[in-house]
Amino acid sequence: MHDQKRVCLITGAATGIGAACAREFAAHGWQLGLSYLDDATHVQLLEVVASCEALGATTLVQRLDVSSDESCQAFAAAALQRFGRIDALINCAGTTRFIPHADLDALAPAEFLRTYDVNTVGLYRMTRACVPALQASNQGSVVNISSIGGAIGRGSSMAYAASKGAVNTLTLSLARALAPQIRVNAIAPGFVEGGLPSRVLDAVRHAEVLQVQTEDSVLQRVSQPEEVAALACFITERAPGMTGEVVQMDNGLHLNAG
């Protein structure tokens, strides 16, 4: 007999926003399917799992490569086998490299394809794998972690900004296609401390970017992963009338983009 607690799958759950989402949903009484990419993130995820289980959550841990359709299908199947249901999906898995926008020679087409394959197509693969279970839930919710870069053409690289712009459009398309059983929304954060940049930059460069992002935002601050997680949980649990929305949560960075 499966437990009837609601089940949330979170990709990229080992670090940053994904880890914060895991802890937030655990605190709200959800069962969790949590994915990691490789051996290094597996170690990090085990710490996240311990904190979630301390909050009373039942967890499933699964290796996931969102660039593989088979891997996405296997994650959804494992969650269904373990829990018997999937009620929510938080797409946090992402990748980037820091490449100056003005240096076109440094951004090879292969990097565009690599970035799109994870950030855009990977998100589509994982969502598609969960659709039958989310439909059966009849209160299914998908939250895509996008970026303000997708709206204003800024960020770590042109390829990253473009991939997140595509995520925003995909969010609208999926919301239309999967209604009324499944809601699909996105959150577009600005700079998040402890997020993806902290894993691809050295400490000195990260500190420089952090300072610039703080100064560029009208609120003169950057966000914490827990803030994004709280919004993801609110959208999932308490916003039944909300679908096809891309919520900008960037400390007003977009106000200075013009």
Side-chain angles (χ1 to χ4, degrees):
M1 182 69 184
H2 291 295
D3 194 324
Q4 289 309 298
K5 282 185 180 178
R6 295 166 300 176
V7 175
C8 179
L9 269 55
I10 303 171
T11 70
T15 55
I17 293 170
C21 284
R23 291 186 289 265
E24 180 77 10
F25 277 80
H28 282 243
W30 289 69
Q31 300 183 101
L32 299 171
L34 306 175
S35 83
Y36 66 96
L37 176 62
D38 51 27
D39 291 345
T41 49
H42 187 217
V43 173
Q44 293 171 299
L45 182 56
L46 292 179
E47 296 178 13
V48 176
V49 166
S51 61
C52 290
E53 291 181 346
L55 291 165
T58 304
T59 61
L60 164 76
V61 173
Q62 179 92 1
R63 189 171 185 134
L64 172 69
D65 175 4
V66 295
S67 68
S68 160
D69 201 48
E70 292 75 18
S71 188
C72 291
Q73 296 287 343
F75 185 25
L80 275 176
Q81 183 175 4
R82 175 72 181 275
F83 300 120
R85 60 192 288 176
I86 300 171
D87 302 281
L89 169 65
I90 315 296
N91 283 307
C92 294
T95 187
T96 194
R97 289 180 181 142
F98 274 73
I99 301 170
H101 284 220
D103 190 354
L104 300 190
D105 290 338
L107 179 57
E111 173 64 7
F112 249 104
L113 294 171
R114 186 192 75 83
T115 307
Y116 256 77
D117 196 32
V118 172
N119 293 353
T120 309
V121 189
L123 180 151
Y124 172 75
R125 289 186 190 99
M126 193 62 233
T127 302
R128 187 173 70 157
C130 291
V131 161
L134 290 169
Q135 286 175 327
S137 165
N138 213 37
Q139 55 179 5
S141 171
V142 178
V143 177
N144 299 323
I145 303 303
S146 182
S147 167
I148 193 61
I152 63 175
R154 292 180 62 169
S156 47
S157 76
M158 277 192 187
Y160 179 79
S163 75
K164 292 300 190 176
V167 164
N168 295 348
T169 303
L170 183 59
T171 297
L172 304 184
S173 299
L174 286 169
R176 192 179 292 113
L178 301 179
Q181 296 96 339
I182 304 170
R183 296 181 298 113
V184 184
N185 294 284
I187 301 172
F191 191 89
V192 176
E193 195 166 6
L196 193 54
S198 67
R199 299 192 291 282
V200 296
L201 292 174
D202 64 56
V204 173
R205 181 77 180 107
H206 184 264
E208 292 170 355
V209 172
L210 179 66
Q211 182 178 352
V212 169
Q213 293 291 326
T214 302
E215 291 170 354
D216 281 357
S217 66
V218 297
L219 295 182
Q220 296 288 285
R221 69 187 295 277
V222 297
S223 293
Q224 301 300 314
E226 292 74 19
E227 298 168 29
V228 184
L231 181 56
C233 194
F234 177 85
I235 291 170
T236 301
E237 288 190 332
R238 302 184 61 188
M242 187 174 170
T243 197
E245 286 293 332
V246 179
V247 184
Q248 296 183 168
M249 190 184 196
D250 67 344
N251 299 295
L253 189 67
H254 67 279
L255 300 174
N256 284 337

